[in-house]
Amino acid sequence: MSKKIKVSDLPTFDMSEALRSSEDIATYLNLVLEENDPSELAHALGIIAKAKGMGNIAEQSGLAREALYKALRPSSKPRFETIQKVCNALGVKLVAQPATPSEAS
């Protein structure tokens, strides 16, 4: 019989600690974008900002630190301008691609 583990005994997982490289960040952001959920995108950008240093990202984006926290919380709906400023500060860009592959001509 296997030993039972309490949920409270499990280690906590912090995604910001797993984002160590630009490739990790891009992969994570692409996975979130595939979900097509604006509030999840804001939350993911907040996690990435935390990984890179929230104060640093606030300074580079020109947003107040408190405003950045508010804009990137899970339930937020930030303006596109805010998303753009944060992405620029994070060193990532959002790229458009066809939703479905087109047939070869």
Side-chain angles (χ1 to χ4, degrees):
M1 182 152 92
S2 62
K3 180 180 175 185
K4 291 187 177 184
I5 299 173
K6 294 181 184 178
V7 171
S8 61
D9 291 338
L10 293 172
T12 57
F13 177 75
D14 186 348
M15 183 57 141
S16 67
E17 293 174 3
L19 301 174
R20 296 195 171 122
S21 69
S22 296
E23 290 77 21
D24 293 342
I25 291 169
T27 300
Y28 174 58
L29 195 52
N30 281 324
L31 288 170
V32 170
L33 286 168
E34 286 178 11
E35 295 298 318
N36 205 24
D37 181 348
S39 64
E40 192 58 35
L41 173 60
H43 179 63
L45 289 172
I47 290 171
I48 296 167
K50 180 181 174 188
K52 292 215 164 213
M54 194 65 84
N56 186 36
I57 298 305
E59 184 179 321
Q60 290 180 12
S61 67
L63 300 168
R65 186 181 174 119
E66 296 79 22
L68 187 61
Y69 275 108
K70 184 177 177 181
L72 301 180
R73 66 180 178 227
S75 62
S76 69
K77 294 181 182 176
R79 297 183 330 197
F80 182 73
E81 177 184 11
T82 302
I83 297 290
Q84 192 174 29
K85 286 180 179 181
V86 172
C87 285
N88 287 338
L90 292 172
V92 297
K93 61 181 178 177
L94 304 179
V95 179
Q97 64 184 36
T100 58
S102 61
E103 296 181 20
S105 303

